[in-house]
Amino acid sequence: MSLTTGQKLAYAIPGLALAWLIPPMYAILGDFYLRYTEATAAGIGTAMMMSKIVDAITDPPVGYLSDKTESRWGARKPWIFVGLLMVIPSFHFFFSPPEDAGNLYFALGLVLYYLCYTLIKIPMRAWLGELSPDYSERSKIWSWMTICLLLGGLLIMLLPIVFSSPLLPWFDSPEFTPEVMSFIGWVGGVGIVATLLVSLWVVPGGERNPGESSDVKQFFNILLVSKPFQHFMLGYGLSALGYGISYAVMIVGLTSYYGFADRLPIFMLAMILIQVASIPVWERIAERSSKHETWARAWVICACFMPVLWLFGANSEYFWAFVACAGVISIMQAPHMLFPVTIISDIVDYDTLKHRTSRSGNFFAVYTFVDKVLHAIGFGIGYYIIALFGYDAKAEVNTDLAVFGLKFAILGVPAVMFLLSALVLFKFPINRHRHSIIRRRIEQRARREKARAPQSSHADFQPQEV
C-alpha cells in the first residue's frame, strides 16, 4: 500500500492533540494537583502507580479485540472512534477538579484519562504497521506523528502564554492555575475529537500481514516466544522506568525548587522546539546505521550530560543557561519518542514470518501494558523518593537532604537507567539489512501461497463414485 502525502499527514495530525495524553502533560497535572488541591505527594505517587496498573489491564483486551475486528473500515478505526467518544467527559472531570479534590479524585481522573489513551493509542500504533511494510517508510510516517506530538506539546505551553498576554488577557499569569488548566483541558478534548475524525475519514484502513489472525492464547505467549521482542522490551523497559522517575517530579523541581513556576511554559516551549528541530536529524542518522543503535548512542550521551543540571541551585538566576543544558538532554531523549513504535512494527514482521500469524495489535498491547506498568512504577518511585527525603513543594525552604532527594529522583536514578538501556539496545538483533530480508521472504511466501491457491482448490475436488 502506498500512501499519499495527504494521507500521511492525516495519520499524523492527531498528534497535535494527542500530546494532551503523554508526558509532560500528566506530570504537569501531578504538580497542579499537588499545589492546588488537597492531594499529597505520597498520595499522588500511589494514585499514579495504581491507576496506571489498573489501566494497563485494559491493554491486552483492546489489542486482542482490535486484531480480531473485521469491519468495512478496517480493524483499528472502530476502536479509535470509541476512544474519542470518551475524551471530552473524561477531560472535563480531570482538568477541572474542585478545590477539595483529594487523592481518590486524582486516581479516578487518571483511570479515565488513561482509558481514553488506551483505546486510541494501541489501534493507532498497530495501524501504522498496516499502512506500510517498508522499514524506512514506517520511520518517516512515525516521524511525522512524533513532530505533531511535539508541536502539540508546544501548543500546550503556548496557550497560557498567549492568553495571559496584553493582546489576549484572559488569565492573570501563564502559570498552570485552575482556570488555565480547565481551559487547556477543553482545548485538548475538542482537538483530539476533531483531528481523529479527520484521520479516520482520510486514511485507509491498511493491509494486514498475510497469515491467520491471532487468538487469545497467543497474546500471553508473545513475551515468551519472541526473543527480539524480549530484547526490545528489556531495553525499552529500563528507558521507561528512568523516564517515569524523572518526569514524575521534574515539574515539581522546576516550579518549587529552581523557581521557574512563572516561566515553566517558556521552558517547556524551548524543550519542545529543540526536540522538533532534532527529529529530522535523528532520522537521517538512523538511515546511515540502524534505529536501535542511534537510540542507544543518544542514551549514553544523555546520561553523561544529566549531572550538569545538578550544579544549578535553588531559585536559580541562570534560567537560560539551565534551558541550554536541559536542551541537550531533550535532544538526546527524542529517539525514545521516535523509534520504539517503528521497531515494534519490524518485530511484528519477524513474528509474521516465523509464525504465519498477524498479531500486530497484541504486540502493541503488550508493549503498552509493560510501558504503563513501568511508568507507573517509575512515577510512584519518583514521588516516594521526594516524600522519603522530606521534600515539600509548598515549603519556602527545604533541607539539604530533601533537595538531594529531589535531584536524585530527577537526574541520578534516570541516568543509570538510561546507561543500562543503551547496553541492551546496542545488541538488538533486527537491523535494516535483516529487516529487508524478512520483508522479502514474507512477500515471496505470500506470492507462493497465492499461486498455489487455485491448484489447492482444484485438487481438493474428488469425484464421488456412483
Side-chain angles (χ1 to χ4, degrees):
M1 174 179 292
S2 179
L3 298 183
T4 66
T5 300
Q7 289 171 332
K8 293 175 187 177
L9 183 60
Y11 175 83
I13 205 71
L16 292 172
L18 292 176
W20 266 251
L21 292 168
I22 64 172
M25 193 66 249
Y26 49 79
I28 292 172
L29 283 161
D31 176 67
F32 167 74
Y33 271 79
L34 188 61
R35 291 194 293 144
Y36 289 102
T37 70
E38 296 181 5
T40 64
I44 288 173
T46 301
M48 284 185 167
M49 183 180 294
M50 298 309 298
S51 61
K52 274 208 168 190
I53 291 173
V54 170
D55 175 46
I57 296 172
T58 65
D59 294 345
V62 171
Y64 168 72
L65 291 172
S66 73
D67 274 347
K68 298 292 287 184
T69 298
E70 300 285 348
S71 78
R72 58 181 295 187
W73 304 282
R76 315 303 172 183
K77 290 185 178 184
W79 293 93
I80 296 171
F81 185 75
V82 172
L84 70 84
L85 291 177
M86 295 182 58
V87 166
I88 289 180
S90 300
F91 271 44
H92 175 67
F93 180 88
F94 197 35
F95 282 78
S96 305
E99 291 183 5
D100 60 350
N103 297 327
L104 184 60
Y105 187 100
F106 180 75
L108 179 57
L110 270 179
V111 169
L112 294 172
Y113 180 74
Y114 290 141
L115 181 58
C116 294
Y117 191 28
T118 293
L119 289 168
I120 295 169
K121 176 181 179 180
I122 292 175
M124 282 289 290
R125 293 184 170 184
W127 193 11
L128 171 67
E130 295 164 1
L131 292 176
S132 174
D134 184 71
Y135 183 90
S136 297
E137 186 69 11
R138 285 172 177 170
S139 294
K140 290 178 181 177
I141 296 172
W142 191 253
S143 70
W144 286 28
M145 171 66 85
T146 304
I147 289 172
C148 285
L149 286 167
L150 292 170
L151 290 174
L154 184 72
L155 179 60
I156 293 171
M157 300 307 153
L158 276 174
L159 286 173
I161 296 173
V162 171
F163 287 94
S164 62
S165 67
L167 293 176
L168 292 169
W170 287 18
F171 308 113
D172 294 332
S173 79
E175 291 189 43
F176 289 101
T177 61
E179 296 78 15
V180 171
M181 194 61 76
S182 179
F183 173 71
I184 288 174
W186 276 104
V187 173
V190 173
I192 289 174
V193 172
T195 55
L196 281 176
L197 286 174
V198 170
S199 187
L200 294 176
W201 180 262
V202 175
V203 184
E207 297 177 358
R208 296 192 190 189
N209 280 325
E212 300 175 359
S213 62
S214 63
D215 61 47
V216 70
K217 294 180 181 179
Q218 292 173 348
F219 174 83
F220 298 103
N221 290 332
I222 281 177
L223 273 173
L224 298 177
V225 303
S226 178
K227 291 184 178 180
F229 193 56
Q230 292 171 2
H231 196 129
F232 166 81
M233 288 308 304
L234 176 59
Y236 180 83
L238 291 166
S239 298
L241 192 59
Y243 214 63
I245 294 171
S246 181
Y247 253 110
V249 291
M250 177 188 68
I251 306 298
V252 176
L254 290 170
T255 58
S256 63
Y257 175 72
Y258 291 111
F260 301 150
D262 60 336
R263 288 174 286 181
L264 178 61
I266 297 173
F267 174 83
M268 299 304 297
L269 192 66
M271 296 303 102
I272 293 165
L273 284 172
I274 289 169
Q275 281 194 331
V276 169
S278 73
I279 293 297
V281 178
W282 285 120
E283 190 177 337
R284 290 192 186 96
I285 293 172
E287 286 178 356
R288 295 183 178 181
S289 56
S290 287
K291 291 174 280 195
H292 63 280
E293 293 174 350
T294 305
W295 185 11
R297 292 187 186 103
W299 272 150
V300 171
I301 298 171
C302 180
C304 293
F305 200 83
M306 288 180 80
V308 174
L309 291 184
W310 201 296
L311 302 176
F312 290 84
N315 298 312
S316 178
E317 298 177 358
Y318 305 103
F319 175 71
W320 290 109
F322 190 94
V323 168
C325 294
V328 175
I329 295 172
S330 185
I331 290 172
M332 297 305 149
Q333 290 178 343
H336 181 73
M337 296 182 64
L338 182 59
F339 296 133
V341 171
T342 60
I343 290 175
I344 293 176
S345 292
D346 300 338
I347 295 171
V348 169
D349 286 341
Y350 171 79
D351 181 76
T352 301
L353 176 64
K354 187 173 181 180
H355 299 287
R356 295 176 177 266
T357 301
S358 178
R359 302 191 290 183
S360 179
N362 277 353
F363 271 96
F364 280 102
V366 173
Y367 159 65
T368 308
F369 177 89
V370 176
D371 176 60
K372 287 180 178 178
V373 169
L374 291 176
H375 271 95
I377 294 171
F379 267 68
I381 291 173
Y383 274 95
Y384 286 148
I385 288 174
I386 65 172
L388 178 65
F389 282 86
Y391 187 84
D392 184 356
K394 297 176 182 177
E396 292 291 332
V397 179
N398 278 278
T399 65
D400 291 342
L401 183 63
V403 171
F404 173 84
L406 177 69
K407 292 185 176 181
F408 184 63
I410 297 173
L411 303 168
V413 178
V416 175
M417 294 294 179
F418 296 158
L419 283 174
L420 293 174
S421 174
L423 292 176
V424 175
L425 291 172
F426 273 125
K427 297 182 180 295
F428 182 72
I430 301 177
N431 55 25
R432 179 184 301 278
H433 174 67
R434 289 176 177 173
H435 182 261
S436 66
I437 296 173
I438 290 168
R439 284 304 314 178
R440 186 167 63 250
R441 290 181 178 175
I442 289 175
E443 291 162 4
Q444 288 172 347
R445 186 172 66 193
R447 286 195 295 269
R448 288 197 303 268
E449 290 176 352
K450 184 177 181 180
R452 284 200 302 262
Q455 299 175 8
S456 298
S457 60
H458 207 44
D460 290 340
F461 174 74
Q462 297 292 337
Q464 296 182 357
E465 293 183 2
V466 179

